[in-house]
Amino acid sequence: MGICLPCGGKLAYCGGEGLATVAWYDENGGKRPHPVADKQGNTFNLHDMSGNVWEWVEDCWHDSYRGAPDDGSAWVFACNSGDRVLRGGSWYTFASQARASGRNAHPPADRHYLNGFRVARTRLP
C-alpha cells in the first residue's frame, strides 16, 4: 500500500476504497481521457489523483525512497538521472499503476498524450 499525501493517509487508491470509484484506467477508461471530477474526490475534494492522466510532479526520479524527504516536500536534490516522476497512472494503464504508490520515470523534455499536470495555488509565507 502506498502513501497518498493528497489523501491524508495510507490508501491503495487516492480518494476511495475501490479504484473504479476514483479513477479512469484501462478497464473503464474507454481509450480516452475524461473531464476532471467525473469520479469521487478525496477528503480534500481533489479529483483524479489516481488514473485519468499520469501526473507530472516536482520530484526527481530515484530508484528507491531511501533518503527521501519525510516532511512531504518535493525531492529535488541529488537528481542523478535527469528524469522526473509521473504518478497515478492513466486511462490507458493497468490498475496496479493507478495505485497511490504507482510512479514512473520520464524525461522532462518528452511530451505524451497520457501525461498531464495539476495546477495548484498555494499560500505564500
Side-chain angles (χ1 to χ4, degrees), residues 3-119:
I3 297 175
C4 183
L5 294 176
C7 299
K10 294 182 177 183
L11 296 170
Y13 305 104
C14 289
E17 295 304 317
L19 182 57
T21 65
V22 297
W24 299 108
Y25 58 106
D26 72 329
E27 291 181 22
N28 70 354
K31 299 184 181 177
R32 64 180 176 83
H34 295 267
V36 173
D38 277 356
K39 294 286 187 176
Q40 173 185 331
N42 65 18
T43 56
F44 301 108
N45 203 29
L46 296 174
H47 296 264
D48 301 307
M49 299 303 293
S50 293
N52 208 17
V53 295
W54 283 100
E55 182 181 355
W56 280 102
V57 297
E58 188 177 2
D59 300 39
C60 299
W61 174 261
H62 296 83
D63 290 332
S64 74
Y65 287 103
R66 195 174 317 117
D70 60 4
D71 62 358
S73 63
W75 194 359
V76 294
F77 56 87
C79 299
N80 299 327
S81 73
D83 286 344
R84 295 293 178 167
V85 173
L86 293 173
R87 290 199 172 277
S90 77
W91 54 267
Y92 184 78
T93 58
F94 299 119
S96 62
Q97 293 176 310
R99 294 176 60 88
S101 60
R103 65 189 190 110
N104 203 352
H106 209 73
D110 283 356
R111 304 294 180 255
H112 199 276
Y113 63 94
L114 297 175
N115 302 341
F117 63 94
R118 182 174 298 277
V119 177

